[in-house]
Every structure is written in structure tokens, then in C-alpha cells.
Amino acid sequence: MKKLDITKLRNVGIISHGGAGKTSLAEGMLFNAKMTERLGKVDNGTSVLDYEPEEIKRNITISSSFHHFDWEKQKVNIVDTPGDGNFSNDARSSLSVLDGAVVVIDANSGIRVQTERGWQYCDDLGLPRLVFINKMDRESSSSSNIIDDIDKILGKKAVAIQMPIGAEDAFRGVVDLINMKALIYEDEESGSYTEEEIPEDLKEEASELRGKMVEDIAETSDELLEKYLEGEDLSAEDLYEGLKRGTFNMDFVPVLYGSALKNIGIQPLMDKIVQCFPSPTEMGEHKGTNPVTKEEEVRRADEEEPFSAFVFKTIADPFTGKLTLFRIYSGVLNSDSTMYNSSKQVKERVGQIFRMEGKGQKSLTEAGAGELVAVAKLKETTTGDSLCDENAPIVFEGFTSPAPIVSFAVEPKSKGDEEKAIASLNKLVEEDPTLTIHRDEQTKEFILSGMGQVHLDVTLEKLKRKFGAEVELKLPKVPYKETIRGKVKIQGKYKKQSGGRGQYGDAWLELEPLAKGEGFDFVDKIVGGVIPRQYIPAVEKGIVESIEQGVLAGYPVVDFRASLVFGSFHSVDSSEMAFKIAGSMAFKKGILEANPVLLEPIMNMDVTVPDEYMGDIIGDINSRRGKVLGMDEKLIKAQVPMAEILQYSADLSSMTGDRGTFSSEFSHYEEVPAQISEKIVEASKEE
């Protein structure tokens, strides 16, 4: 197999807000590069990249998909990332191993929330970008404000290197401002166009736009700026050189126009991808740590370097097994070989190596630095792990997935399917780091958590399709607890005589509250042998078993002390069982007289919202019995009862137009207000 020239490789992600048309754009690239025979369409289910049934059903990208094409003697790996906020972590993890991103903006709706988030991911990762303003053929499309919005909202200078010809139904091409030519497209989705002179009515505007573009490009180097200031014309070669430099250094972002569905303007974008984006060698060294010496290690994108790679995605498949996707940072990996997982410190056997092609896969005998590849059936490797040559170990810094924000209890639809359903869910959790599942020891429920309702709905559909397991989602039970506020002394006496040997146990307890969080404390205050030593642990055991179900609503009782102060016994009829029952009886009677109250879990919350929503969100937190602890720029810190935020994700999204995010974690327990406590107690009786 002919080796790939790393300098002619581009690894590019396509990002946008959901519905902006990035998958259609990627389909157009594949079609124009003759990787597909027809132009795939998301709306009619013929997309090569959105192939999962859950994606076809919703017309959205749920999981990043991968393909490649050759263009202008360069190889381009493209990654079509999700644009829905429920799946943004998948986009972020894919971007972490790429070298550039095409940001797609809808000419109708402009810059939206997920565009901003994707842009921020690129900022964090230092990725060069191109902007493609899509849907120029749509009714009410307008690109006039988007250039300014890129500067105002996204914080980056936008340089238009094209100008649209026509608008809405009359959109038919673009003006190439570098070469000052009009590219007029056939109205047949073939991508065919002719290079013509700029129409007379557009020449003046095109000249003005070109002047702005040349000025911005000239500022990328002293040499170009000197030529520009001296009045020399910058050649096309000068402009291409400055355009690449400005893009790579992120001095500005070039802007292009088109219609992905009509296949207009896609080839010029493909040209700019290979002209402006860096190769793996130009992106510099990848830093890591030697797991043995803890010293910094670096790897260059060179096939002569030791093999190293980073796992950025895992796909669970019940038939082919787990598929592990990774970016090779250095060296070469051969099929039927062994590699070392330096994160887990285990060896992994490599069978076949695959290059992903949408739903399909192409088998490779080897893959080198810069490539995105997959291997099946690795036993120990998971997303975020580092792979390398065992003789040259290195661990690359991983990425932290955001904490889930919505949780539901899962119940199998069929009795006896619990084990199968939970095992299958665990496989999906391995595929998706933003999913978690755990068993709540108090409520005995399995809790599935994710990034939103759509995320969990999709997970359940995958669970049924891939593993044949069906579950239902229910709001999780709030793990209330009970405690006491008063102090009592109470007797528990168990006496039973039914012929022959009887049962006798007599225990006096003092019950008193403890400070918050101190749990349960048992104190033996027996003196004079009124209760034999061997029976005292039985009294404690009777109390411990009883505190699992309190007297108010059946919740565990916490934060109290039970002191065994007195009692009596029978030399023949007393037993451990009798004193265990006596301890339980005393506890249950005493709790009722010790002013029992309900406790509820309080959550620490960090709510991040744009400034214009701060007032509304603070008011909403107060209405949920919450306490605002502090405010910073766009951040509200608060404590809110768990019962009030079980569906907060959807509520926050509605209040802020998807612009708000939050995280929560358990803080402590507090007493439930009396009127709410009464409702909880009544509801428990109905159950």
C-alpha cells in the first residue's frame, strides 16, 4: 500500500447549530470528490453520514461520523459532528483530535447557541476555522449581519473572501474575491459551474469587499503589509499565502457562501480546506507524560517516531463488538500487531485496522501518523485512553466530559429483564461518557443520567435496537430521610407465652437528636446487669433494622442517639430474638413521641446564563425554595431542594432559549417545610 504523505493530509471537523446543514455540506463534499455516486440527503434518509435509525427518524446528527476524500492531490478526513446540545460532548471529543473546523451558519437563523459552544470548543483547542454561510437559496436568507455577528458574538474578525450572487430563489453562485471571477452554478445539484466575468451591477460592491479583504490579509505579515502600503498589487499567490497564515494563526476567519442542498459553493470551500488548514506536521508536537518517570514527553507527527495515539470515541455494537476510534499522533500501526495502553498499563492485541467511511469501513494493513482509524474488540481500552509503543510509553492528557444534568429511574418493561437491561445500558455508557447509570441504595432504583431528554430517549431506542432490551423512564424518587427533634424515654417490652418456653425481652431507650450528618449512635448505659451482656447487641440490631423505615413516610431515620438505659430479663424465657424485638418496639414507639420530621436533599447548583436572563433565573430559583448564595459574571450559585429540580433541564432551556446550562451536586439535608411534609406523608400512605 502506498504510504500517505502526512503533509498532504487534512483532518477537519464540521460544526454548527442543529439544522444549519453541516451534514448536507459534508454529503456535498463527498459527492463532488466522487466518493459517492449521488448527493446524499438528510431529509429523505439517503445520507451516508447520518445512517443510524435514530438519526434518520429525527433528521439530526446524534453521533460524529467519519469519511474521507481526495481533493487537489490532498487527502481530507472529515468528521460530521452533532449540532444538538444533547450530544455536544461527542462533537467536543472529536474536535480534540482534529486540525481545523468548518463552522456552518444558517443564513436565515444566523449564529445560534450551539454555534457559540462549538466555536468556544475550537477556541479552547486552538483550532483554525473557516465559516460557510449556508442556505443562501432559502426564503428570507440574509448574510448581511452575519459578518458583523461573527465579530460581536464569536469574538473573531471575519474576512469575506467571496460575495454571494443573488439571494433566495435567485441565488446562483459566488464572486471569488481573490481572483475577481464569478462562479455561476447550474441549477441541477451537480455542482457544475462556469467561471465568468463579474456582473456589472455587482462590480462596485465586489471591488469594495476585495479592498477590505486585501487589507486584512496584508496585515498577516510585514512583507505583505509593506507591499500593500507602498501601493503594490498583491498577487493571488500573495493573498493565498496570507490567507493561510491568517487562518492558521487565527488572526481572522475566512467566510464563504453557498447552498449545501443545491450543491452551490461547495468546491471553493473544499479548495480553501486544503489551502488554508494545516497538515498534522504543521500543528506541532503533541505533549504527554511518561507514566514511569512522570517527565514530559513529546511526539511529532512523523512515521519515524515511536507509535502513539489517543482514543477519542468508542462505538458499541452487539454483533461486531466494541469499536475503538483513535488519532495516531506518531509512528505507524500495523494490523495483527500489539500495542500498549499506557493509561491502563495493559497490552492490547490489534486485529484489523479500519478507516471509517460513514456506516462502512475500509480495511487497512497499516496506518501512520495523522490518521483517524478504528480497531475492533479491544478488551480494556476506553475513550480517553492513550495507546503507544510499550518501549516508549506516553500518556496524553484526556478531556473531562460534562456531568449529566437530567436523571430518570429506569424500569424494565418485562419482569426478569432487569439484568439484561442494566448490562446493555452499561455497554452504552462505555460508548458515551456523558451517560451514567447507578443504583440508588436507598430507593433501590437504577438511575440513568444524561445531557437531556432527547439524549435519554435516543439511548432507550438504541438499547432496544442493539440489544433487544426495553425499559421505561420515570421520575426518580427523592431520597428523603427522617429524624427527630425531641428527646424521649420509652419502654419496649416483648412477652410471649404459648406453652413451653416463652419469649421475654424488656428494654428502656432514651432517644435524642444528634447534629446534622452524624447518623446513628448507640450507647450502652446498662449497669448492675439488669440486662445480660449477651443481649445488648440484639437490642442495637433491632433498632438498626427498624431505622430503614421511619414512622412518617417510611424513609430511613438518621441523626439520633439511642441509649439503652434500663430493662429486665427472664432467666429462662429471655433470648437474643426477644431483646431484638424489644429494641425495635421501643424505637418505633419512641420515634412517634420524639417530634419526628422529614428531611430532604439539598443540591448545590451552578447556573450559567447570559446577563439578560439573570433576573428571571434568580426569581425562578427563589420560587423553587432555593437560596441564591452568590453571583458572578453569568454564573449563579444556589442551593435548591432536589425535589424542585427533577425536571430543571427542560425548564431552564425553555426560560433561556437553550442558552442556559447548569450543574448540580448533593450538598446536605434540611428539614422539609410542614405544609410540604404533610403532602409527602399523605402520598406515602396512598402508595
Side-chain angles (χ1 to χ4, degrees), residues 503-536:
Q503 293 285 345
Y504 183 89
D506 178 22
W508 282 82
L509 298 179
E510 282 184 353
L511 303 179
E512 58 186 319
L514 290 177
K516 186 186 300 182
E518 291 193 12
F520 165 63
D521 183 31
F522 178 78
V523 179
D524 172 15
K525 291 186 177 181
I526 294 299
V527 293
V530 293
I531 298 177
R533 310 307 305 171
Q534 68 266 30
Y535 297 144
I536 292 175

mmCIF file of all heavy atoms in Angstrom, residues 503-536:
data_model
loop_
_atom_site.group_PDB
_atom_site.id
_atom_site.type_symbol
_atom_site.label_atom_id
_atom_site.label_comp_id
_atom_site.label_asym_id
_atom_site.label_seq_id
_atom_site.Cartn_x
_atom_site.Cartn_y
_atom_site.Cartn_z
ATOM 1 N N GLN A 503 -41.015 -16.201 75.393
ATOM 2 C CA GLN A 503 -40.081 -15.180 74.926
ATOM 3 C C GLN A 503 -40.243 -13.955 75.810
ATOM 4 O O GLN A 503 -41.373 -13.496 76.070
ATOM 5 C CB GLN A 503 -40.363 -14.805 73.460
ATOM 6 C CG GLN A 503 -40.088 -15.907 72.465
ATOM 7 C CD GLN A 503 -38.613 -16.114 72.228
ATOM 8 O OE1 GLN A 503 -37.797 -15.263 72.582
ATOM 9 N NE2 GLN A 503 -38.250 -17.261 71.680
ATOM 10 N N TYR A 504 -39.120 -13.411 76.274
ATOM 11 C CA TYR A 504 -39.211 -12.239 77.136
ATOM 12 C C TYR A 504 -37.997 -11.330 76.892
ATOM 13 O O TYR A 504 -36.848 -11.777 76.946
ATOM 14 C CB TYR A 504 -39.238 -12.647 78.619
ATOM 15 C CG TYR A 504 -39.396 -11.477 79.556
ATOM 16 C CD1 TYR A 504 -40.658 -11.030 79.922
ATOM 17 C CD2 TYR A 504 -38.274 -10.809 80.058
ATOM 18 C CE1 TYR A 504 -40.805 -9.940 80.784
ATOM 19 C CE2 TYR A 504 -38.407 -9.709 80.908
ATOM 20 C CZ TYR A 504 -39.674 -9.284 81.260
ATOM 21 O OH TYR A 504 -39.822 -8.193 82.088
ATOM 22 N N GLY A 505 -38.320 -10.061 76.612
ATOM 23 C CA GLY A 505 -37.279 -9.047 76.480
ATOM 24 C C GLY A 505 -37.827 -7.703 76.894
ATOM 25 O O GLY A 505 -38.945 -7.336 76.504
ATOM 26 N N ASP A 506 -37.091 -6.966 77.691
ATOM 27 C CA ASP A 506 -37.563 -5.681 78.207
ATOM 28 C C ASP A 506 -36.410 -4.677 78.102
ATOM 29 O O ASP A 506 -35.357 -4.883 78.708
ATOM 30 C CB ASP A 506 -38.016 -5.860 79.659
ATOM 31 C CG ASP A 506 -38.473 -4.545 80.276
ATOM 32 O OD1 ASP A 506 -38.823 -3.624 79.513
ATOM 33 O OD2 ASP A 506 -38.461 -4.448 81.524
ATOM 34 N N ALA A 507 -36.619 -3.615 77.311
ATOM 35 C CA ALA A 507 -35.561 -2.627 77.092
ATOM 36 C C ALA A 507 -36.118 -1.215 77.171
ATOM 37 O O ALA A 507 -37.148 -0.903 76.560
ATOM 38 C CB ALA A 507 -34.905 -2.847 75.727
ATOM 39 N N TRP A 508 -35.442 -0.358 77.946
ATOM 40 C CA TRP A 508 -35.786 1.058 78.027
ATOM 41 C C TRP A 508 -34.744 1.862 77.240
ATOM 42 O O TRP A 508 -33.544 1.706 77.455
ATOM 43 C CB TRP A 508 -35.795 1.524 79.480
ATOM 44 C CG TRP A 508 -37.041 1.114 80.222
ATOM 45 C CD1 TRP A 508 -37.294 -0.086 80.792
ATOM 46 C CD2 TRP A 508 -38.189 1.932 80.463
ATOM 47 N NE1 TRP A 508 -38.533 -0.108 81.395
ATOM 48 C CE2 TRP A 508 -39.107 1.139 81.195
ATOM 49 C CE3 TRP A 508 -38.537 3.249 80.146
ATOM 50 C CZ2 TRP A 508 -40.348 1.621 81.604
ATOM 51 C CZ3 TRP A 508 -39.775 3.736 80.553
ATOM 52 C CH2 TRP A 508 -40.674 2.934 81.270
ATOM 53 N N LEU A 509 -35.253 2.696 76.331
ATOM 54 C CA LEU A 509 -34.367 3.515 75.495
ATOM 55 C C LEU A 509 -34.581 4.996 75.765
ATOM 56 O O LEU A 509 -35.710 5.442 76.030
ATOM 57 C CB LEU A 509 -34.629 3.264 74.002
ATOM 58 C CG LEU A 509 -34.391 1.863 73.437
ATOM 59 C CD1 LEU A 509 -34.752 1.856 71.958
ATOM 60 C CD2 LEU A 509 -32.950 1.429 73.644
ATOM 61 N N GLU A 510 -33.508 5.738 75.675
ATOM 62 C CA GLU A 510 -33.594 7.199 75.590
ATOM 63 C C GLU A 510 -33.204 7.592 74.168
ATOM 64 O O GLU A 510 -32.117 7.241 73.700
ATOM 65 C CB GLU A 510 -32.643 7.871 76.590
ATOM 66 C CG GLU A 510 -33.135 7.876 78.007
ATOM 67 C CD GLU A 510 -32.205 8.640 78.935
ATOM 68 O OE1 GLU A 510 -31.107 9.056 78.470
ATOM 69 O OE2 GLU A 510 -32.551 8.808 80.122
ATOM 70 N N LEU A 511 -34.097 8.285 73.491
ATOM 71 C CA LEU A 511 -33.840 8.750 72.126
ATOM 72 C C LEU A 511 -33.645 10.258 72.147
ATOM 73 O O LEU A 511 -34.428 10.985 72.775
ATOM 74 C CB LEU A 511 -35.013 8.395 71.196
ATOM 75 C CG LEU A 511 -35.403 6.911 71.109
ATOM 76 C CD1 LEU A 511 -36.585 6.739 70.167
ATOM 77 C CD2 LEU A 511 -34.235 6.064 70.654
ATOM 78 N N GLU A 512 -32.610 10.734 71.453
ATOM 79 C CA GLU A 512 -32.340 12.173 71.399
ATOM 80 C C GLU A 512 -31.705 12.525 70.050
ATOM 81 O O GLU A 512 -31.012 11.708 69.441
ATOM 82 C CB GLU A 512 -31.414 12.586 72.541
ATOM 83 C CG GLU A 512 -30.079 11.862 72.553
ATOM 84 C CD GLU A 512 -29.255 12.199 73.780
ATOM 85 O OE1 GLU A 512 -29.248 13.386 74.164
ATOM 86 O OE2 GLU A 512 -28.624 11.283 74.344
ATOM 87 N N PRO A 513 -31.966 13.733 69.573
ATOM 88 C CA PRO A 513 -31.416 14.118 68.259
ATOM 89 C C PRO A 513 -29.911 14.372 68.323
ATOM 90 O O PRO A 513 -29.372 14.762 69.356
ATOM 91 C CB PRO A 513 -32.174 15.399 67.925
ATOM 92 C CG PRO A 513 -32.611 15.952 69.248
ATOM 93 C CD PRO A 513 -32.848 14.768 70.147
ATOM 94 N N LEU A 514 -29.248 14.146 67.179
ATOM 95 C CA LEU A 514 -27.838 14.477 67.004
ATOM 96 C C LEU A 514 -27.711 15.597 65.978
ATOM 97 O O LEU A 514 -28.667 15.924 65.260
ATOM 98 C CB LEU A 514 -27.055 13.251 66.527
ATOM 99 C CG LEU A 514 -26.870 12.110 67.529
ATOM 100 C CD1 LEU A 514 -26.142 10.947 66.858
ATOM 101 C CD2 LEU A 514 -26.109 12.578 68.756
ATOM 102 N N ALA A 515 -26.531 16.153 65.874
ATOM 103 C CA ALA A 515 -26.279 17.207 64.886
ATOM 104 C C ALA A 515 -26.406 16.645 63.469
ATOM 105 O O ALA A 515 -26.253 15.442 63.236
ATOM 106 C CB ALA A 515 -24.894 17.798 65.098
ATOM 107 N N LYS A 516 -26.658 17.542 62.547
ATOM 108 C CA LYS A 516 -26.853 17.172 61.145
ATOM 109 C C LYS A 516 -25.648 16.385 60.616
ATOM 110 O O LYS A 516 -24.500 16.774 60.785
ATOM 111 C CB LYS A 516 -27.039 18.442 60.310
ATOM 112 C CG LYS A 516 -27.389 18.213 58.856
ATOM 113 C CD LYS A 516 -27.409 19.533 58.103
ATOM 114 C CE LYS A 516 -28.433 20.490 58.667
ATOM 115 N NZ LYS A 516 -28.470 21.767 57.898
ATOM 116 N N GLY A 517 -25.948 15.232 60.019
ATOM 117 C CA GLY A 517 -24.904 14.442 59.385
ATOM 118 C C GLY A 517 -24.205 13.452 60.288
ATOM 119 O O GLY A 517 -23.295 12.747 59.849
ATOM 120 N N GLU A 518 -24.604 13.359 61.556
ATOM 121 C CA GLU A 518 -23.906 12.466 62.480
ATOM 122 C C GLU A 518 -24.428 11.032 62.456
ATOM 123 O O GLU A 518 -23.858 10.146 63.089
ATOM 124 C CB GLU A 518 -23.960 13.024 63.910
ATOM 125 C CG GLU A 518 -23.130 14.285 64.080
ATOM 126 C CD GLU A 518 -22.924 14.652 65.541
ATOM 127 O OE1 GLU A 518 -23.235 13.811 66.412
ATOM 128 O OE2 GLU A 518 -22.464 15.771 65.800
ATOM 129 N N GLY A 519 -25.543 10.808 61.753
ATOM 130 C CA GLY A 519 -26.012 9.435 61.563
ATOM 131 C C GLY A 519 -26.680 8.847 62.792
ATOM 132 O O GLY A 519 -27.498 9.493 63.445
ATOM 133 N N PHE A 520 -26.326 7.614 63.144
ATOM 134 C CA PHE A 520 -26.944 6.890 64.268
ATOM 135 C C PHE A 520 -25.863 6.488 65.261
ATOM 136 O O PHE A 520 -24.798 6.002 64.887
ATOM 137 C CB PHE A 520 -27.678 5.649 63.746
ATOM 138 C CG PHE A 520 -28.030 4.656 64.820
ATOM 139 C CD1 PHE A 520 -28.903 5.002 65.844
ATOM 140 C CD2 PHE A 520 -27.491 3.375 64.813
ATOM 141 C CE1 PHE A 520 -29.224 4.086 66.843
ATOM 142 C CE2 PHE A 520 -27.808 2.458 65.805
ATOM 143 C CZ PHE A 520 -28.678 2.819 66.826
ATOM 144 N N ASP A 521 -26.174 6.688 66.539
ATOM 145 C CA ASP A 521 -25.224 6.336 67.597
ATOM 146 C C ASP A 521 -25.963 5.516 68.661
ATOM 147 O O ASP A 521 -27.031 5.926 69.139
ATOM 148 C CB ASP A 521 -24.650 7.617 68.211
ATOM 149 C CG ASP A 521 -23.600 7.318 69.274
ATOM 150 O OD1 ASP A 521 -22.914 6.287 69.147
ATOM 151 O OD2 ASP A 521 -23.479 8.124 70.219
ATOM 152 N N PHE A 522 -25.408 4.378 69.019
ATOM 153 C CA PHE A 522 -25.993 3.528 70.062
ATOM 154 C C PHE A 522 -25.076 3.553 71.275
ATOM 155 O O PHE A 522 -23.860 3.370 71.147
ATOM 156 C CB PHE A 522 -26.163 2.095 69.558
ATOM 157 C CG PHE A 522 -26.705 1.151 70.590
ATOM 158 C CD1 PHE A 522 -28.063 1.151 70.896
ATOM 159 C CD2 PHE A 522 -25.864 0.269 71.272
ATOM 160 C CE1 PHE A 522 -28.576 0.285 71.852
ATOM 161 C CE2 PHE A 522 -26.373 -0.596 72.230
ATOM 162 C CZ PHE A 522 -27.733 -0.591 72.525
ATOM 163 N N VAL A 523 -25.665 3.797 72.455
ATOM 164 C CA VAL A 523 -24.878 3.883 73.684
ATOM 165 C C VAL A 523 -25.413 2.869 74.700
ATOM 166 O O VAL A 523 -26.623 2.826 74.989
ATOM 167 C CB VAL A 523 -24.932 5.301 74.293
ATOM 168 C CG1 VAL A 523 -24.107 5.350 75.584
ATOM 169 C CG2 VAL A 523 -24.415 6.324 73.296
ATOM 170 N N ASP A 524 -24.549 2.071 75.234
ATOM 171 C CA ASP A 524 -24.904 1.094 76.269
ATOM 172 C C ASP A 524 -24.691 1.735 77.642
ATOM 173 O O ASP A 524 -23.559 2.009 78.038
ATOM 174 C CB ASP A 524 -24.023 -0.148 76.099
ATOM 175 C CG ASP A 524 -24.181 -1.134 77.247
ATOM 176 O OD1 ASP A 524 -25.160 -0.994 78.013
ATOM 177 O OD2 ASP A 524 -23.321 -2.024 77.366
ATOM 178 N N LYS A 525 -25.808 1.983 78.358
ATOM 179 C CA LYS A 525 -25.722 2.570 79.697
ATOM 180 C C LYS A 525 -26.228 1.601 80.776
ATOM 181 O O LYS A 525 -26.602 2.027 81.877
ATOM 182 C CB LYS A 525 -26.525 3.872 79.751
ATOM 183 C CG LYS A 525 -25.927 5.005 78.926
ATOM 184 C CD LYS A 525 -26.703 6.306 79.141
ATOM 185 C CE LYS A 525 -26.063 7.475 78.372
ATOM 186 N NZ LYS A 525 -26.804 8.751 78.608
ATOM 187 N N ILE A 526 -26.251 0.343 80.459
ATOM 188 C CA ILE A 526 -26.741 -0.656 81.407
ATOM 189 C C ILE A 526 -25.725 -0.838 82.541
ATOM 190 O O ILE A 526 -24.524 -1.007 82.294
ATOM 191 C CB ILE A 526 -26.997 -1.997 80.705
ATOM 192 C CG1 ILE A 526 -28.147 -1.862 79.717
ATOM 193 C CG2 ILE A 526 -27.288 -3.106 81.714
ATOM 194 C CD1 ILE A 526 -29.471 -1.477 80.357
ATOM 195 N N VAL A 527 -26.248 -0.798 83.770
ATOM 196 C CA VAL A 527 -25.408 -1.060 84.951
ATOM 197 C C VAL A 527 -26.104 -2.090 85.830
ATOM 198 O O VAL A 527 -27.338 -2.247 85.798
ATOM 199 C CB VAL A 527 -25.159 0.238 85.768
ATOM 200 C CG1 VAL A 527 -24.313 1.203 84.974
ATOM 201 C CG2 VAL A 527 -26.475 0.876 86.202
ATOM 202 N N GLY A 528 -25.343 -2.793 86.583
ATOM 203 C CA GLY A 528 -25.899 -3.744 87.542
ATOM 204 C C GLY A 528 -26.409 -5.029 86.933
ATOM 205 O O GLY A 528 -27.058 -5.825 87.618
ATOM 206 N N GLY A 529 -26.190 -5.217 85.620
ATOM 207 C CA GLY A 529 -26.580 -6.470 84.995
ATOM 208 C C GLY A 529 -28.068 -6.669 84.828
ATOM 209 O O GLY A 529 -28.543 -7.808 84.738
ATOM 210 N N VAL A 530 -28.839 -5.530 84.765
ATOM 211 C CA VAL A 530 -30.292 -5.686 84.591
ATOM 212 C C VAL A 530 -30.622 -6.325 83.243
ATOM 213 O O VAL A 530 -31.698 -6.909 83.072
ATOM 214 C CB VAL A 530 -31.006 -4.328 84.741
ATOM 215 C CG1 VAL A 530 -30.902 -3.816 86.175
ATOM 216 C CG2 VAL A 530 -30.458 -3.300 83.762
ATOM 217 N N ILE A 531 -29.725 -6.164 82.275
ATOM 218 C CA ILE A 531 -29.812 -6.907 81.008
ATOM 219 C C ILE A 531 -28.465 -7.588 80.820
ATOM 220 O O ILE A 531 -27.418 -6.922 80.819
ATOM 221 C CB ILE A 531 -30.112 -5.990 79.807
ATOM 222 C CG1 ILE A 531 -31.459 -5.292 79.949
ATOM 223 C CG2 ILE A 531 -30.085 -6.800 78.494
ATOM 224 C CD1 ILE A 531 -31.775 -4.316 78.831
ATOM 225 N N PRO A 532 -28.439 -8.894 80.655
ATOM 226 C CA PRO A 532 -27.158 -9.598 80.447
ATOM 227 C C PRO A 532 -26.432 -9.072 79.212
ATOM 228 O O PRO A 532 -27.035 -8.676 78.224
ATOM 229 C CB PRO A 532 -27.591 -11.057 80.278
ATOM 230 C CG PRO A 532 -28.900 -11.149 80.996
ATOM 231 C CD PRO A 532 -29.576 -9.829 80.785
ATOM 232 N N ARG A 533 -25.090 -9.071 79.271
ATOM 233 C CA ARG A 533 -24.279 -8.501 78.203
ATOM 234 C C ARG A 533 -24.565 -9.120 76.845
ATOM 235 O O ARG A 533 -24.507 -8.451 75.816
ATOM 236 C CB ARG A 533 -22.781 -8.690 78.502
ATOM 237 C CG ARG A 533 -22.299 -8.264 79.881
ATOM 238 C CD ARG A 533 -22.682 -6.845 80.238
ATOM 239 N NE ARG A 533 -22.244 -5.842 79.265
ATOM 240 C CZ ARG A 533 -22.616 -4.576 79.290
ATOM 241 N NH1 ARG A 533 -23.437 -4.133 80.231
ATOM 242 N NH2 ARG A 533 -22.183 -3.734 78.375
ATOM 243 N N GLN A 534 -24.887 -10.422 76.824
ATOM 244 C CA GLN A 534 -25.059 -11.081 75.527
ATOM 245 C C GLN A 534 -26.304 -10.602 74.778
ATOM 246 O O GLN A 534 -26.447 -10.839 73.588
ATOM 247 C CB GLN A 534 -25.104 -12.605 75.688
ATOM 248 C CG GLN A 534 -26.323 -13.167 76.403
ATOM 249 C CD GLN A 534 -26.073 -13.362 77.892
ATOM 250 O OE1 GLN A 534 -25.270 -12.616 78.481
ATOM 251 N NE2 GLN A 534 -26.719 -14.345 78.483
ATOM 252 N N TYR A 535 -27.242 -9.931 75.505
ATOM 253 C CA TYR A 535 -28.470 -9.494 74.841
ATOM 254 C C TYR A 535 -28.410 -8.040 74.343
ATOM 255 O O TYR A 535 -29.262 -7.601 73.577
ATOM 256 C CB TYR A 535 -29.667 -9.641 75.792
ATOM 257 C CG TYR A 535 -29.942 -11.072 76.208
ATOM 258 C CD1 TYR A 535 -30.397 -11.376 77.491
ATOM 259 C CD2 TYR A 535 -29.756 -12.118 75.308
ATOM 260 C CE1 TYR A 535 -30.657 -12.682 77.883
ATOM 261 C CE2 TYR A 535 -30.006 -13.432 75.690
ATOM 262 C CZ TYR A 535 -30.444 -13.707 76.976
ATOM 263 O OH TYR A 535 -30.700 -15.001 77.354
ATOM 264 N N ILE A 536 -27.409 -7.299 74.808
ATOM 265 C CA ILE A 536 -27.351 -5.872 74.452
ATOM 266 C C ILE A 536 -27.141 -5.655 72.947
ATOM 267 O O ILE A 536 -27.817 -4.814 72.336
ATOM 268 C CB ILE A 536 -26.272 -5.165 75.294
ATOM 269 C CG1 ILE A 536 -26.730 -5.140 76.753
ATOM 270 C CG2 ILE A 536 -25.995 -3.758 74.765
ATOM 271 C CD1 ILE A 536 -25.712 -4.587 77.729
#
